[in-house]
Amino acid sequence: MPTGRRSASPGGTQQDRQPAIRPARVDPVPLAEIAALLGLPEDGLEDAPAVTGVTLDSRSVVPGDVYFALPGASRHGADFARQAVEAGAVAIVTDPDGAQQLALSETSADVPVLVVDAPRAAVGGASALVYGTQRGGGGAGVALLGVTGTNGKTTTTYFANALLRALGHRTGLIGTIEISAGGEPIPSRLTTPESPEVHALLAVMREKGVSAASMEVSSHAIEFGRVDGVRYDVVGFTNLTQDHLDLHGTMGDYYAAKARLFTPERADRAVVTVDDAWGRRLAAEAPIPVTTLRTEAAGPADGTDTADWTVTDARRSGVGTAFELRHADGTALRVRSGLPGGFNVANAALATLLVLASGASAEEVQKALDTDPFTVEVPGRMQLVGTAPAAVVDFAHNPDALERALDAVRPEGAGRLIVVFGATGQRDQGKRPIMGAVAARGADVVVVTDDDPHDEDAGAIRAEVIAGARAEDAGQGLGRRIDEVAPRAAAIRHAVSLAGAEDVILVAGRGHESFQEVKGVNLALDDRLELRAALAEHGRPLVQDGPGFPSAGADALESDAQ
């Protein structure tokens, strides 16, 4: 799900310059080595200045960088080469069209220009070479775990990081909510870092003594080359459900993008959740060693329901779940997820096996699990804001995630479940009525509002969601209350006004996000703050602020290829 974010204008003035996230020290790399990596002749580059950085954005150039001028949808990075050279770029890599533009502007006379047909495909490898991360993960001594799938990536990486810390590691994290190294937040305007930033971050982690790191890997990151050149010690797969079809077109293409992470070029080994058919297919097709995980008892009757590890004996423990993770050889681990819902059992189980596959022994992992590391708060993921009514904010933004979230928070007694949600504009239009139907099946009161409309008409998006909800309600004779309320803050207040002390309110879709994009404008909006304020207005009890409440909004740093 895209975050509401302000587009950065390409190029820009000195006042627009963006902060670069870089290691303190980089061993200079001869430009001839980069040329060789690109398959270009090294002749004439012997006396060229050495390279100490890589960037796609002219505003983040520092002296010693090689600037990759990439083609974009509306502008070419070559348009901003002059700014890059003036800021200290020592070379430019571009495509033939970019080289022609540089020749016309006479910029090519100032620094060497390396021309390749597909420069974006070369960025990751060049970044790995310059920042010294080509040795695997974050370089020597840093174990790197990657997590992909439709739902659960963020929570799984948080869980894995918590377990790694319990094992004594100094940890790093690269994700949609947070970037950190050794517990220190790294200032960033990035939402999904481009490959130069990813490799620079890994080098920073190495400098800070990080011994293990976890990273979310989205299909967008794979598709657009943002994790090119990164090598993972272990990669994990959560699940695959309908989402991002505006980019991939079909579920088969969506799967294929994810599967590219599970190759010898990118990872040493994998842990794959085989609860769905996509996971079972991946486990069968991946050309690297795979450990399989089943977290749901029911499976197909064709023998494919077997797995290396299986979740057993799940039982409520506080608001979370305690369970056993049992191997086919009889080995068992005792695990507890502090967050509600069966999907968080799956996230905790996957995180445990990722850490186990990274080299820790079962005995070490069990000792760390006994410290209850999976009670960690994950901002905007099943985050409790109030208690009577129970009021929860979650990132669920597609049909499967919404259904699972509703199941997780349904009241056990006589209380009602009230859901507030919307659908994102300019993204996978087909899932809107499906989400409406899911909400009508799972909640007693459905409040349809806006998510990030982007440039679409917000009312038209709501209408598609409501149509799905009302059709399901009428077809199944559910008798649901279905309200349309906008803007979103008003919808949250409306839900609170309807709720009794025994009810549960789920505000779904945006989670930790703190800006809503409407017609190109970022509006400050944090579901947790709005829900908290509405509960306070009605004198309802609140949960004490935790370390993940609230999170600050972040603007995106875009490349010059737009």
Side-chain angles (χ1 to χ4, degrees):
M1 177 182 181
T3 57
R5 55 185 183 264
R6 179 165 56 247
S7 296
S9 58
T13 65
Q14 187 68 26
Q15 287 75 20
D16 298 322
R17 290 189 58 75
Q18 306 292 339
I21 299 172
R22 305 292 180 93
R25 183 180 182 279
V26 176
D27 292 330
V29 175
L31 185 59
E33 287 190 26
I34 295 176
L37 180 71
L38 302 179
L40 300 174
E42 304 173 40
D43 299 342
L45 299 178
E46 296 82 2
D47 296 327
V51 175
T52 53
V54 180
T55 187
L56 308 182
D57 194 295
S58 60
R59 297 160 299 177
S60 64
V61 170
V62 298
D65 278 0
V66 58
Y67 170 59
F68 275 74
L70 305 183
S74 59
R75 302 293 298 273
H76 198 293
D79 293 341
F80 313 105
R82 170 58 57 191
Q83 292 97 313
V85 172
E86 290 175 351
V90 297
I92 297 170
V93 179
T94 191
D95 62 359
D97 288 341
Q100 186 175 20
Q101 287 182 237
L102 294 175
L104 291 173
S105 67
E106 299 183 353
T107 301
S108 57
D110 297 326
V111 296
V113 177
L114 307 182
V115 183
V116 293
D117 290 334
R120 177 169 282 280
V123 178
S127 300
L129 175 62
V130 170
Y131 292 116
T133 56
Q134 72 272 23
R135 295 182 294 278
V142 181
L144 185 60
L145 314 183
V147 181
T148 196
T150 304
N151 302 313
K153 296 185 295 295
T154 298
T155 301
T156 301
T157 56
Y158 266 73
F159 281 175
N161 243 32
L163 183 56
L164 288 165
R165 285 197 301 271
L167 283 164
H169 284 281
R170 185 172 173 84
T171 62
L173 184 69
I174 301 176
T176 56
I177 296 176
E178 179 184 1
I179 297 173
S180 66
E184 301 175 25
I186 297 175
S188 173
R189 291 162 57 93
L190 305 171
T191 51
T192 303
E194 290 279 6
S195 56
E197 285 76 35
V198 170
H199 287 279
L201 285 165
L202 293 173
V204 168
M205 289 181 186
R206 186 179 61 224
E207 280 189 340
K208 291 181 175 291
V210 168
S211 56
S214 303
M215 180 179 177
E216 295 180 52
V217 187
S218 68
S219 60
H220 286 71
I222 299 168
E223 192 72 26
F224 296 129
R226 292 172 183 164
V227 291
D228 284 358
V230 177
R231 183 168 183 81
Y232 299 88
D233 294 86
V234 190
V235 289
F237 176 83
T238 60
N239 50 58
L240 197 73
T241 63
Q242 183 175 339
D243 207 358
H244 305 307
L245 297 191
D246 53 300
L247 171 64
H248 300 292
T250 68
M251 287 296 292
D253 290 340
Y254 185 22
Y255 164 82
K258 296 286 191 185
R260 283 158 52 192
L261 186 64
F262 296 78
T263 60
E265 296 75 26
R266 295 181 183 268
D268 290 340
R269 51 200 172 277
V271 181
V272 175
T273 308
V274 293
D275 293 340
D276 63 32
W278 298 109
R280 293 189 288 276
R281 177 179 170 183
L282 180 61
E285 295 179 348
I288 57 176
V290 173
T291 297
T292 54
L293 164 67
R294 174 166 289 284
T295 73
E296 297 178 353
D302 59 4
T304 58
D305 58 337
T306 59
D308 297 316
W309 290 88
T310 304
V311 169
T312 63
D313 299 327
R315 59 201 179 279
R316 287 288 296 270
S317 175
V319 297
T321 307
F323 61 94
E324 278 198 348
L325 193 52
R326 185 170 294 276
H327 193 271
D329 67 5
T331 302
L333 295 169
R334 300 179 306 278
V335 190
R336 179 179 177 274
S337 163
L339 300 183
F343 53 92
N344 280 316
V345 170
N347 295 335
L350 179 57
T352 300
L353 296 186
L354 285 169
V355 172
L356 193 65
S358 72
S361 70
E363 293 77 14
E364 291 170 329
V365 169
Q366 184 61 71
K367 185 176 180 181
L369 288 170
D370 290 343
T371 67
D372 206 18
F374 299 150
T375 58
V376 61
E377 185 176 62
V378 185
R381 271 62 174 178
M382 280 291 147
Q383 189 165 359
L384 190 65
V385 177
T387 57
V392 178
V393 171
D394 191 67
F395 191 56
H397 60 278
N398 57 54
D400 180 70
L402 182 60
E403 183 173 15
R404 290 170 180 259
L406 289 166
D407 287 344
V409 300
R410 171 157 289 285
E412 293 184 337
R416 299 174 304 164
L417 177 52
I418 303 168
V419 63
V420 181
F421 77 107
T424 311
Q426 298 178 289
R427 301 290 188 276
D428 198 1
Q429 186 173 347
K431 73 182 182 184
R432 295 171 188 172
I434 300 173
M435 291 181 67
V438 166
R441 286 196 302 272
D444 302 290
V445 179
V446 177
V447 182
V448 177
T449 188
D450 301 330
D451 196 294
D452 281 326
H454 297 297
D455 290 329
E456 273 197 72
D457 177 71
I461 299 172
R462 295 195 301 270
E464 293 184 64
V465 177
I466 290 169
R470 288 181 175 159
E472 186 72 13
D473 181 52
Q476 301 297 324
L478 299 172
R480 305 306 197 204
R481 174 170 178 168
I482 301 172
D483 295 342
E484 178 182 5
V485 182
R488 192 175 178 95
I492 292 172
R493 291 196 300 273
H494 176 69
V496 172
S497 73
L498 298 177
E502 300 300 316
D503 293 338
V504 174
I505 301 169
L506 172 66
V507 181
R510 293 176 46 78
H512 65 287
E513 295 176 357
S514 55
F515 288 100
Q516 181 185 49
E517 186 184 340
V518 181
K519 301 293 184 183
V521 177
N522 275 351
L523 305 176
L525 179 67
D526 188 312
D527 285 354
R528 297 163 298 169
L529 294 177
E530 297 296 341
L531 183 54
R532 186 179 181 87
L535 291 166
E537 287 173 8
H538 287 80
R540 302 300 177 84
L542 303 172
V543 172
Q544 184 176 358
D545 292 357
F549 180 96
S551 61
D555 295 330
L557 173 61
E558 309 290 349
S559 72
D560 287 330
Q562 297 188 23

